[in-house]
mmCIF file of all heavy atoms in Angstrom:
data_model
loop_
_atom_site.group_PDB
_atom_site.id
_atom_site.type_symbol
_atom_site.label_atom_id
_atom_site.label_comp_id
_atom_site.label_asym_id
_atom_site.label_seq_id
_atom_site.Cartn_x
_atom_site.Cartn_y
_atom_site.Cartn_z
ATOM 1 N N GLY V 287 130.194 87.949 66.390
ATOM 2 C CA GLY V 287 129.350 88.531 67.430
ATOM 3 C C GLY V 287 128.411 89.594 66.930
ATOM 4 O O GLY V 287 127.533 90.048 67.676
ATOM 5 N N ASN V 288 128.549 90.019 65.681
ATOM 6 C CA ASN V 288 127.663 91.024 65.112
ATOM 7 C C ASN V 288 126.465 90.368 64.439
ATOM 8 O O ASN V 288 126.489 89.186 64.104
ATOM 9 C CB ASN V 288 128.406 91.889 64.089
ATOM 10 C CG ASN V 288 129.579 92.629 64.711
ATOM 11 O OD1 ASN V 288 129.671 92.743 65.928
ATOM 12 N ND2 ASN V 288 130.470 93.115 63.882
ATOM 13 N N THR V 289 125.414 91.150 64.225
ATOM 14 C CA THR V 289 124.226 90.660 63.529
ATOM 15 C C THR V 289 124.173 91.274 62.133
ATOM 16 O O THR V 289 124.842 92.263 61.859
ATOM 17 C CB THR V 289 122.942 91.033 64.299
ATOM 18 O OG1 THR V 289 122.845 92.467 64.382
ATOM 19 C CG2 THR V 289 122.968 90.449 65.710
ATOM 20 N N PRO V 290 123.364 90.701 61.240
ATOM 21 C CA PRO V 290 123.240 91.287 59.895
ATOM 22 C C PRO V 290 122.675 92.705 59.949
ATOM 23 O O PRO V 290 121.987 93.091 60.900
ATOM 24 C CB PRO V 290 122.268 90.334 59.188
ATOM 25 C CG PRO V 290 122.353 89.057 59.950
ATOM 26 C CD PRO V 290 122.626 89.440 61.369
ATOM 27 N N ALA V 291 122.971 93.469 58.913
ATOM 28 C CA ALA V 291 122.484 94.848 58.832
ATOM 29 C C ALA V 291 120.966 94.873 58.700
ATOM 30 O O ALA V 291 120.374 94.011 58.048
ATOM 31 C CB ALA V 291 123.132 95.560 57.644
ATOM 32 N N LEU V 292 120.351 95.849 59.343
ATOM 33 C CA LEU V 292 118.897 95.987 59.328
ATOM 34 C C LEU V 292 118.496 97.066 58.325
ATOM 35 O O LEU V 292 119.167 98.088 58.191
ATOM 36 C CB LEU V 292 118.390 96.377 60.723
ATOM 37 C CG LEU V 292 118.760 95.435 61.873
ATOM 38 C CD1 LEU V 292 118.283 96.004 63.197
ATOM 39 C CD2 LEU V 292 118.169 94.048 61.658
ATOM 40 N N SER V 293 117.395 96.832 57.656
ATOM 41 C CA SER V 293 116.885 97.816 56.698
ATOM 42 C C SER V 293 115.378 97.677 56.591
ATOM 43 O O SER V 293 114.794 96.702 57.086
ATOM 44 C CB SER V 293 117.532 97.626 55.318
ATOM 45 O OG SER V 293 117.243 96.338 54.806
ATOM 46 N N GLY V 294 114.751 98.629 55.937
ATOM 47 C CA GLY V 294 113.304 98.566 55.725
ATOM 48 C C GLY V 294 112.543 98.582 57.040
ATOM 49 O O GLY V 294 112.799 99.384 57.946
ATOM 50 N N GLY V 295 111.604 97.644 57.163
ATOM 51 C CA GLY V 295 110.769 97.585 58.358
ATOM 52 C C GLY V 295 111.458 96.999 59.562
ATOM 53 O O GLY V 295 110.852 96.881 60.630
ATOM 54 N N ALA V 296 112.747 96.656 59.446
ATOM 55 C CA ALA V 296 113.473 96.033 60.550
ATOM 56 C C ALA V 296 114.182 97.048 61.437
ATOM 57 O O ALA V 296 114.866 96.662 62.375
ATOM 58 C CB ALA V 296 114.481 95.027 60.011
ATOM 59 N N ARG V 297 114.017 98.338 61.139
ATOM 60 C CA ARG V 297 114.643 99.348 61.985
ATOM 61 C C ARG V 297 113.758 100.589 62.077
ATOM 62 O O ARG V 297 112.843 100.784 61.284
ATOM 63 C CB ARG V 297 116.027 99.722 61.474
ATOM 64 C CG ARG V 297 116.069 100.347 60.102
ATOM 65 C CD ARG V 297 117.448 100.907 59.816
ATOM 66 N NE ARG V 297 117.860 101.855 60.847
ATOM 67 C CZ ARG V 297 118.885 102.686 60.720
ATOM 68 N NH1 ARG V 297 119.613 102.676 59.622
ATOM 69 N NH2 ARG V 297 119.185 103.534 61.684
ATOM 70 N N PHE V 298 114.041 101.416 63.090
ATOM 71 C CA PHE V 298 113.297 102.653 63.291
ATOM 72 C C PHE V 298 113.901 103.772 62.441
ATOM 73 O O PHE V 298 115.122 103.873 62.302
ATOM 74 C CB PHE V 298 113.331 103.074 64.764
ATOM 75 C CG PHE V 298 112.472 102.231 65.659
ATOM 76 C CD1 PHE V 298 113.036 101.310 66.529
ATOM 77 C CD2 PHE V 298 111.092 102.364 65.642
ATOM 78 C CE1 PHE V 298 112.246 100.531 67.358
ATOM 79 C CE2 PHE V 298 110.293 101.584 66.467
ATOM 80 C CZ PHE V 298 110.876 100.668 67.331
ATOM 81 N N TYR V 299 113.023 104.621 61.917
ATOM 82 C CA TYR V 299 113.454 105.780 61.140
ATOM 83 C C TYR V 299 112.886 107.041 61.772
ATOM 84 O O TYR V 299 111.969 106.984 62.604
ATOM 85 C CB TYR V 299 112.997 105.653 59.688
ATOM 86 C CG TYR V 299 113.659 104.515 58.944
ATOM 87 C CD1 TYR V 299 113.045 103.273 58.849
ATOM 88 C CD2 TYR V 299 114.901 104.689 58.343
ATOM 89 C CE1 TYR V 299 113.652 102.220 58.170
ATOM 90 C CE2 TYR V 299 115.521 103.650 57.656
ATOM 91 C CZ TYR V 299 114.895 102.417 57.576
ATOM 92 O OH TYR V 299 115.499 101.379 56.914
ATOM 93 N N GLY V 300 113.423 108.175 61.363
ATOM 94 C CA GLY V 300 112.977 109.446 61.906
ATOM 95 C C GLY V 300 111.546 109.778 61.502
ATOM 96 O O GLY V 300 111.082 109.382 60.428
ATOM 97 N N ILE V 301 110.870 110.503 62.367
ATOM 98 C CA ILE V 301 109.490 110.939 62.123
ATOM 99 C C ILE V 301 109.498 112.432 61.819
ATOM 100 O O ILE V 301 110.051 113.225 62.584
ATOM 101 C CB ILE V 301 108.607 110.661 63.352
ATOM 102 C CG1 ILE V 301 108.579 109.160 63.653
ATOM 103 C CG2 ILE V 301 107.189 111.189 63.130
ATOM 104 C CD1 ILE V 301 107.852 108.818 64.946
ATOM 105 N N GLU V 302 108.888 112.800 60.725
ATOM 106 C CA GLU V 302 108.807 114.225 60.369
ATOM 107 C C GLU V 302 107.584 114.835 61.039
ATOM 108 O O GLU V 302 106.448 114.387 60.845
ATOM 109 C CB GLU V 302 108.718 114.392 58.857
ATOM 110 C CG GLU V 302 108.739 115.846 58.404
ATOM 111 C CD GLU V 302 108.734 115.988 56.890
ATOM 112 O OE1 GLU V 302 109.715 115.549 56.254
ATOM 113 O OE2 GLU V 302 107.740 116.510 56.345
ATOM 114 N N LEU V 303 107.808 115.859 61.838
ATOM 115 C CA LEU V 303 106.717 116.516 62.541
ATOM 116 C C LEU V 303 105.873 117.343 61.567
ATOM 117 O O LEU V 303 106.343 117.712 60.490
ATOM 118 C CB LEU V 303 107.272 117.421 63.641
ATOM 119 C CG LEU V 303 108.016 116.718 64.783
ATOM 120 C CD1 LEU V 303 108.501 117.740 65.802
ATOM 121 C CD2 LEU V 303 107.146 115.659 65.459
ATOM 122 N N PRO V 304 104.613 117.631 61.922
ATOM 123 C CA PRO V 304 103.740 118.409 61.033
ATOM 124 C C PRO V 304 104.337 119.769 60.682
ATOM 125 O O PRO V 304 104.901 120.451 61.547
ATOM 126 C CB PRO V 304 102.448 118.554 61.853
ATOM 127 C CG PRO V 304 102.474 117.404 62.808
ATOM 128 C CD PRO V 304 103.903 117.163 63.129
ATOM 129 N N PHE V 305 104.232 120.143 59.409
ATOM 130 C CA PHE V 305 104.662 121.437 58.881
ATOM 131 C C PHE V 305 106.175 121.665 58.985
ATOM 132 O O PHE V 305 106.640 122.804 58.916
ATOM 133 C CB PHE V 305 103.924 122.595 59.592
ATOM 134 C CG PHE V 305 102.446 122.453 59.612
ATOM 135 C CD1 PHE V 305 101.775 122.183 60.799
ATOM 136 C CD2 PHE V 305 101.701 122.574 58.441
ATOM 137 C CE1 PHE V 305 100.398 122.047 60.818
ATOM 138 C CE2 PHE V 305 100.329 122.435 58.455
ATOM 139 C CZ PHE V 305 99.666 122.171 59.647
ATOM 140 N N ALA V 306 106.952 120.580 59.157
ATOM 141 C CA ALA V 306 108.400 120.739 59.264
ATOM 142 C C ALA V 306 108.988 121.281 57.965
ATOM 143 O O ALA V 306 109.852 122.164 57.985
ATOM 144 C CB ALA V 306 109.050 119.407 59.630
ATOM 145 N N ARG V 307 108.518 120.773 56.836
ATOM 146 C CA ARG V 307 109.051 121.245 55.554
ATOM 147 C C ARG V 307 108.629 122.686 55.272
ATOM 148 O O ARG V 307 109.406 123.486 54.745
ATOM 149 C CB ARG V 307 108.575 120.333 54.433
ATOM 150 C CG ARG V 307 109.149 118.919 54.502
ATOM 151 C CD ARG V 307 108.724 118.093 53.309
ATOM 152 N NE ARG V 307 109.231 116.741 53.388
ATOM 153 C CZ ARG V 307 109.007 115.794 52.478
ATOM 154 N NH1 ARG V 307 108.263 116.102 51.395
ATOM 155 N NH2 ARG V 307 109.510 114.589 52.621
ATOM 156 N N GLU V 308 107.385 123.012 55.611
ATOM 157 C CA GLU V 308 106.886 124.358 55.330
ATOM 158 C C GLU V 308 107.626 125.417 56.154
ATOM 159 O O GLU V 308 107.834 126.539 55.701
ATOM 160 C CB GLU V 308 105.394 124.445 55.622
ATOM 161 C CG GLU V 308 104.503 123.688 54.644
ATOM 162 C CD GLU V 308 104.455 122.187 54.896
ATOM 163 O OE1 GLU V 308 105.142 121.732 55.839
ATOM 164 O OE2 GLU V 308 103.743 121.476 54.167
ATOM 165 N N LEU V 309 108.018 125.046 57.376
ATOM 166 C CA LEU V 309 108.667 126.015 58.262
ATOM 167 C C LEU V 309 110.184 126.013 58.141
ATOM 168 O O LEU V 309 110.856 126.802 58.828
ATOM 169 C CB LEU V 309 108.283 125.720 59.723
ATOM 170 C CG LEU V 309 106.811 125.919 60.094
ATOM 171 C CD1 LEU V 309 106.558 125.452 61.523
ATOM 172 C CD2 LEU V 309 106.426 127.384 59.943
ATOM 173 N N ALA V 310 110.732 125.147 57.285
ATOM 174 C CA ALA V 310 112.191 125.005 57.199
ATOM 175 C C ALA V 310 112.872 126.304 56.783
ATOM 176 O O ALA V 310 114.005 126.591 57.200
ATOM 177 C CB ALA V 310 112.553 123.884 56.229
ATOM 178 N N GLY V 311 112.211 127.119 55.974
ATOM 179 C CA GLY V 311 112.832 128.347 55.495
ATOM 180 C C GLY V 311 112.688 129.538 56.410
ATOM 181 O O GLY V 311 113.260 130.596 56.144
ATOM 182 N N VAL V 312 111.940 129.408 57.499
ATOM 183 C CA VAL V 312 111.755 130.520 58.437
ATOM 184 C C VAL V 312 113.048 130.728 59.227
ATOM 185 O O VAL V 312 113.602 129.774 59.775
ATOM 186 C CB VAL V 312 110.587 130.229 59.398
ATOM 187 C CG1 VAL V 312 110.425 131.360 60.412
ATOM 188 C CG2 VAL V 312 109.300 130.008 58.618
ATOM 189 N N PRO V 313 113.559 131.961 59.301
ATOM 190 C CA PRO V 313 114.803 132.199 60.041
ATOM 191 C C PRO V 313 114.691 131.782 61.508
ATOM 192 O O PRO V 313 113.654 131.993 62.149
ATOM 193 C CB PRO V 313 114.995 133.722 59.919
ATOM 194 C CG PRO V 313 114.226 134.107 58.706
ATOM 195 C CD PRO V 313 113.043 133.182 58.657
ATOM 196 N N VAL V 314 115.732 131.185 62.012
ATOM 197 C CA VAL V 314 115.898 130.755 63.405
ATOM 198 C C VAL V 314 114.879 129.677 63.783
ATOM 199 O O VAL V 314 115.239 128.550 64.113
ATOM 200 C CB VAL V 314 115.804 131.939 64.400
ATOM 201 C CG1 VAL V 314 116.030 131.445 65.830
ATOM 202 C CG2 VAL V 314 116.817 133.010 64.036
ATOM 203 N N LEU V 315 113.576 130.006 63.750
ATOM 204 C CA LEU V 315 112.547 129.054 64.151
ATOM 205 C C LEU V 315 112.518 127.832 63.240
ATOM 206 O O LEU V 315 112.365 126.698 63.723
ATOM 207 C CB LEU V 315 111.171 129.733 64.158
ATOM 208 C CG LEU V 315 109.982 128.843 64.528
ATOM 209 C CD1 LEU V 315 110.138 128.323 65.950
ATOM 210 C CD2 LEU V 315 108.672 129.611 64.373
ATOM 211 N N GLY V 316 112.694 128.053 61.945
ATOM 212 C CA GLY V 316 112.632 126.952 60.989
ATOM 213 C C GLY V 316 113.677 125.882 61.231
ATOM 214 O O GLY V 316 113.351 124.698 61.366
ATOM 215 N N PRO V 317 114.977 126.256 61.297
ATOM 216 C CA PRO V 317 115.996 125.232 61.561
ATOM 217 C C PRO V 317 115.821 124.517 62.896
ATOM 218 O O PRO V 317 116.103 123.324 63.013
ATOM 219 C CB PRO V 317 117.305 126.042 61.549
ATOM 220 C CG PRO V 317 117.014 127.225 60.718
ATOM 221 C CD PRO V 317 115.573 127.564 60.980
ATOM 222 N N ILE V 318 115.330 125.241 63.905
ATOM 223 C CA ILE V 318 115.142 124.610 65.215
ATOM 224 C C ILE V 318 114.018 123.585 65.151
ATOM 225 O O ILE V 318 114.155 122.459 65.661
ATOM 226 C CB ILE V 318 114.838 125.679 66.285
ATOM 227 C CG1 ILE V 318 116.069 126.541 66.521
ATOM 228 C CG2 ILE V 318 114.385 125.027 67.587
ATOM 229 C CD1 ILE V 318 115.844 127.690 67.483
ATOM 230 N N TYR V 319 112.901 123.957 64.513
ATOM 231 C CA TYR V 319 111.756 123.042 64.469
ATOM 232 C C TYR V 319 111.983 121.906 63.474
ATOM 233 O O TYR V 319 111.830 120.731 63.812
ATOM 234 C CB TYR V 319 110.491 123.808 64.104
ATOM 235 C CG TYR V 319 109.243 122.933 64.056
ATOM 236 C CD1 TYR V 319 108.656 122.476 65.230
ATOM 237 C CD2 TYR V 319 108.679 122.561 62.840
ATOM 238 C CE1 TYR V 319 107.527 121.673 65.199
ATOM 239 C CE2 TYR V 319 107.553 121.763 62.795
ATOM 240 C CZ TYR V 319 106.980 121.316 63.968
ATOM 241 O OH TYR V 319 105.868 120.521 63.932
ATOM 242 N N SER V 320 112.346 122.252 62.244
ATOM 243 C CA SER V 320 112.464 121.236 61.200
ATOM 244 C C SER V 320 113.759 120.447 61.286
ATOM 245 O O SER V 320 113.810 119.283 60.885
ATOM 246 C CB SER V 320 112.360 121.885 59.817
ATOM 247 O OG SER V 320 113.426 122.804 59.618
ATOM 248 N N GLY V 321 114.820 121.062 61.834
ATOM 249 C CA GLY V 321 116.093 120.366 61.910
ATOM 250 C C GLY V 321 116.362 119.710 63.239
ATOM 251 O O GLY V 321 116.799 118.560 63.302
ATOM 252 N N LEU V 322 116.090 120.448 64.330
ATOM 253 C CA LEU V 322 116.426 119.948 65.664
ATOM 254 C C LEU V 322 115.316 119.107 66.281
ATOM 255 O O LEU V 322 115.562 118.027 66.818
ATOM 256 C CB LEU V 322 116.758 121.131 66.579
ATOM 257 C CG LEU V 322 117.130 120.795 68.022
ATOM 258 C CD1 LEU V 322 118.357 119.906 68.072
ATOM 259 C CD2 LEU V 322 117.369 122.078 68.814
ATOM 260 N N LEU V 323 114.076 119.600 66.217
ATOM 261 C CA LEU V 323 112.972 118.903 66.884
ATOM 262 C C LEU V 323 112.368 117.801 66.026
ATOM 263 O O LEU V 323 111.902 116.785 66.548
ATOM 264 C CB LEU V 323 111.889 119.909 67.280
ATOM 265 C CG LEU V 323 112.316 121.029 68.238
ATOM 266 C CD1 LEU V 323 111.142 121.924 68.566
ATOM 267 C CD2 LEU V 323 112.909 120.439 69.507
ATOM 268 N N SER V 324 112.357 117.980 64.731
ATOM 269 C CA SER V 324 111.773 116.984 63.832
ATOM 270 C C SER V 324 112.839 115.994 63.364
ATOM 271 O O SER V 324 114.033 116.281 63.406
ATOM 272 C CB SER V 324 111.144 117.678 62.627
ATOM 273 O OG SER V 324 110.593 116.740 61.728
ATOM 274 N N GLY V 325 112.374 114.818 62.935
ATOM 275 C CA GLY V 325 113.291 113.862 62.315
ATOM 276 C C GLY V 325 113.870 112.816 63.234
ATOM 277 O O GLY V 325 114.721 112.023 62.808
ATOM 278 N N HIS V 326 113.438 112.762 64.483
ATOM 279 C CA HIS V 326 113.937 111.743 65.411
ATOM 280 C C HIS V 326 113.005 110.526 65.405
ATOM 281 O O HIS V 326 111.858 110.610 64.971
ATOM 282 C CB HIS V 326 114.048 112.317 66.818
ATOM 283 C CG HIS V 326 114.975 113.486 66.924
ATOM 284 N ND1 HIS V 326 116.343 113.366 66.868
ATOM 285 C CD2 HIS V 326 114.727 114.819 67.059
ATOM 286 C CE1 HIS V 326 116.906 114.556 66.972
ATOM 287 N NE2 HIS V 326 115.944 115.461 67.089
ATOM 288 N N THR V 327 113.506 109.424 65.931
ATOM 289 C CA THR V 327 112.684 108.214 65.990
ATOM 290 C C THR V 327 111.672 108.316 67.122
ATOM 291 O O THR V 327 111.804 109.144 68.037
ATOM 292 C CB THR V 327 113.556 106.973 66.212
ATOM 293 O OG1 THR V 327 114.156 107.043 67.521
ATOM 294 C CG2 THR V 327 114.651 106.877 65.159
ATOM 295 N N ILE V 328 110.695 107.440 67.092
ATOM 296 C CA ILE V 328 109.659 107.447 68.118
ATOM 297 C C ILE V 328 110.233 107.156 69.499
ATOM 298 O O ILE V 328 109.745 107.662 70.510
ATOM 299 C CB ILE V 328 108.538 106.447 67.758
ATOM 300 C CG1 ILE V 328 107.360 106.613 68.725
ATOM 301 C CG2 ILE V 328 109.067 105.004 67.757
ATOM 302 C CD1 ILE V 328 106.142 105.818 68.319
ATOM 303 N N LEU V 329 111.301 106.356 69.561
ATOM 304 C CA LEU V 329 111.908 106.043 70.854
ATOM 305 C C LEU V 329 112.545 107.278 71.481
ATOM 306 O O LEU V 329 112.553 107.417 72.709
ATOM 307 C CB LEU V 329 112.950 104.931 70.689
ATOM 308 C CG LEU V 329 112.414 103.560 70.295
ATOM 309 C CD1 LEU V 329 113.549 102.553 70.181
ATOM 310 C CD2 LEU V 329 111.375 103.066 71.302
ATOM 311 N N THR V 330 113.058 108.177 70.657
ATOM 312 C CA THR V 330 113.625 109.420 71.187
ATOM 313 C C THR V 330 112.536 110.287 71.811
ATOM 314 O O THR V 330 112.697 110.807 72.924
ATOM 315 C CB THR V 330 114.328 110.201 70.066
ATOM 316 O OG1 THR V 330 115.414 109.426 69.567
ATOM 317 C CG2 THR V 330 114.851 111.534 70.570
ATOM 318 N N TYR V 331 111.411 110.423 71.113
ATOM 319 C CA TYR V 331 110.310 111.220 71.667
ATOM 320 C C TYR V 331 109.763 110.578 72.943
ATOM 321 O O TYR V 331 109.443 111.274 73.913
ATOM 322 C CB TYR V 331 109.205 111.379 70.626
ATOM 323 C CG TYR V 331 109.632 112.177 69.413
ATOM 324 C CD1 TYR V 331 109.666 111.604 68.149
ATOM 325 C CD2 TYR V 331 110.025 113.504 69.536
ATOM 326 C CE1 TYR V 331 110.066 112.337 67.028
ATOM 327 C CE2 TYR V 331 110.423 114.247 68.434
ATOM 328 C CZ TYR V 331 110.447 113.654 67.178
ATOM 329 O OH TYR V 331 110.854 114.378 66.086
ATOM 330 N N LEU V 332 109.672 109.253 72.961
ATOM 331 C CA LEU V 332 109.190 108.554 74.157
ATOM 332 C C LEU V 332 110.152 108.745 75.327
ATOM 333 O O LEU V 332 109.722 108.871 76.485
ATOM 334 C CB LEU V 332 108.997 107.072 73.861
ATOM 335 C CG LEU V 332 107.828 106.702 72.957
ATOM 336 C CD1 LEU V 332 107.825 105.201 72.670
ATOM 337 C CD2 LEU V 332 106.497 107.116 73.582
ATOM 338 N N ALA V 333 111.458 108.768 75.037
ATOM 339 C CA ALA V 333 112.443 108.952 76.102
ATOM 340 C C ALA V 333 112.267 110.314 76.773
ATOM 341 O O ALA V 333 112.299 110.425 78.007
ATOM 342 C CB ALA V 333 113.855 108.819 75.529
ATOM 343 N N PHE V 334 112.065 111.354 75.966
ATOM 344 C CA PHE V 334 111.899 112.688 76.545
ATOM 345 C C PHE V 334 110.549 112.832 77.248
ATOM 346 O O PHE V 334 110.446 113.519 78.269
ATOM 347 C CB PHE V 334 112.066 113.745 75.464
ATOM 348 C CG PHE V 334 113.502 114.051 75.145
ATOM 349 C CD1 PHE V 334 114.201 113.278 74.227
ATOM 350 C CD2 PHE V 334 114.164 115.089 75.780
ATOM 351 C CE1 PHE V 334 115.539 113.544 73.939
ATOM 352 C CE2 PHE V 334 115.494 115.369 75.497
ATOM 353 C CZ PHE V 334 116.180 114.591 74.575
ATOM 354 N N LEU V 335 109.519 112.184 76.718
ATOM 355 C CA LEU V 335 108.213 112.224 77.393
ATOM 356 C C LEU V 335 108.236 111.435 78.699
ATOM 357 O O LEU V 335 107.459 111.726 79.619
ATOM 358 C CB LEU V 335 107.133 111.654 76.463
ATOM 359 C CG LEU V 335 106.749 112.522 75.261
ATOM 360 C CD1 LEU V 335 105.776 111.767 74.363
ATOM 361 C CD2 LEU V 335 106.129 113.843 75.719
#
Side-chain angles (χ1 to χ4, degrees):
N288 300 344
T289 61
L292 303 176
S293 61
R297 63 169 304 194
F298 287 106
Y299 294 95
I301 299 174
E302 184 177 296
L303 295 180
F305 308 110
R307 293 184 182 180
E308 289 79 359
L309 294 174
V312 178
V314 182
L315 179 62
I318 292 176
Y319 181 74
S320 62
L322 180 60
L323 300 181
S324 179
H326 300 287
T327 66
I328 189 171
L329 293 181
T330 297
Y331 295 117
L332 289 176
F334 279 85
L335 289 174

